[in-house]
Amino acid sequence: MDASDCASRAAVVTHMYEPLTHRKGVESWFVEYQGDVRPHPRFEVQLDEWGRAAVHHADLAIIRLDDPVQKNILPVRLADAEATVGEFLAVVGYGYIEELSSGDGTRRFSREEVRELLEPDRKNVLFGSPDSSSYKGDTGGPCLRETDQGSELLGISNRGLGQAPTFTSIPHYREWLVEEIRLAGQRAPTP
């Protein structure tokens, strides 16, 4: 698969959670947005005979939304610095039902340790547990570094694609991402 195999449009769903003021618990709601998919120009995924990613390169995309997100949703900063071995990060994804080979819609997160920067290019990072049942459904989810200034996007999980839990490193693609975000900001909003 390459960039030409990617969908041209996608839906993005934002989930909001706020504590209830009159009793214990959390109120939640979501808003769905539509947008154009802009895969990285060097995107490539090659699957083996079992449908697992044997090769994946530049496995990320930008979705240029037709309409801006609500003002109360703050963007996550892009990481400047590469991951370091032993660093912990938060990974967000959805639950997975093995018997149905699909997600169950349950949002989840885990705290995972960076294990290795993979050679030769260090654009993919090995992290977390090698137990594949613990991470199915996380592919495409954010890998977040917690800092004193808040969360920053360190990577995009692709650990459900192959035999090892890995993520695509954001710092290696930061220049392309920043340019795509700049271009999206110049577009006129949809009437």
Side-chain angles (χ1 to χ4, degrees):
M1 294 183 284
D2 62 22
S4 68
D5 295 310
C6 293
S8 61
R9 300 278 297 162
V12 175
V13 179
T14 60
H15 292 267
M16 299 294 294
Y17 300 90
E18 286 187 2
L20 294 171
T21 55
H22 57 285
R23 61 183 168 85
K24 288 185 177 183
V26 175
E27 177 182 21
S28 67
W29 68 94
F30 69 91
V31 178
E32 183 174 298
Y33 300 90
Q34 300 292 319
D36 296 326
V37 177
R38 304 267 308 155
H40 191 280
R42 292 189 309 264
F43 167 77
E44 177 188 11
V45 175
Q46 295 177 16
L47 303 178
D48 64 15
E49 62 265 24
W50 297 283
R52 296 179 301 212
V55 173
H56 53 94
H57 179 74
D59 189 6
L60 68 165
I62 290 281
I63 301 173
R64 289 187 185 171
L65 301 180
D66 297 337
D67 300 302
V69 295
Q70 298 172 355
K71 292 187 187 312
N72 60 340
I73 298 176
L74 299 175
V76 175
R77 292 175 296 118
L78 299 176
D80 287 321
E82 184 57 67
T84 57
V85 173
E87 172 180 15
F88 282 89
L89 53 108
V91 181
V92 181
Y94 285 89
Y96 190 83
I97 301 172
E98 193 71 44
E99 296 79 27
L100 299 177
S101 297
S102 73
D104 67 2
T106 303
R107 286 176 40 89
R108 65 181 181 180
F109 71 93
S110 61
R111 183 172 150 89
E112 306 288 349
E113 184 176 5
V114 172
R115 294 180 19 217
E116 182 181 351
L117 305 179
L118 299 176
E119 297 298 338
D121 56 15
R122 299 176 154 228
K123 292 177 183 172
N124 291 299
V125 178
L126 183 67
F127 71 105
S129 166
D131 176 17
S132 65
S133 64
S134 69
Y135 56 73
K136 287 222 175 166
D138 288 349
T139 298
C143 298
L144 302 166
R145 172 186 280 149
E146 300 299 325
T147 73
D148 292 339
Q149 294 79 37
S151 298
E152 61 182 25
L153 184 62
L154 182 59
I156 304 295
S157 174
N158 48 36
R159 66 183 181 169
L161 290 179
Q163 300 176 13
T166 62
F167 68 79
T168 299
S169 173
I170 290 301
H172 282 281
Y173 298 100
R174 193 173 199 289
E175 186 176 308
W176 175 77
L177 290 165
V178 167
E179 179 63 10
E180 286 291 321
I181 292 167
R182 186 188 70 75
L183 291 172
Q186 291 179 346
R187 257 187 5 178
T190 304

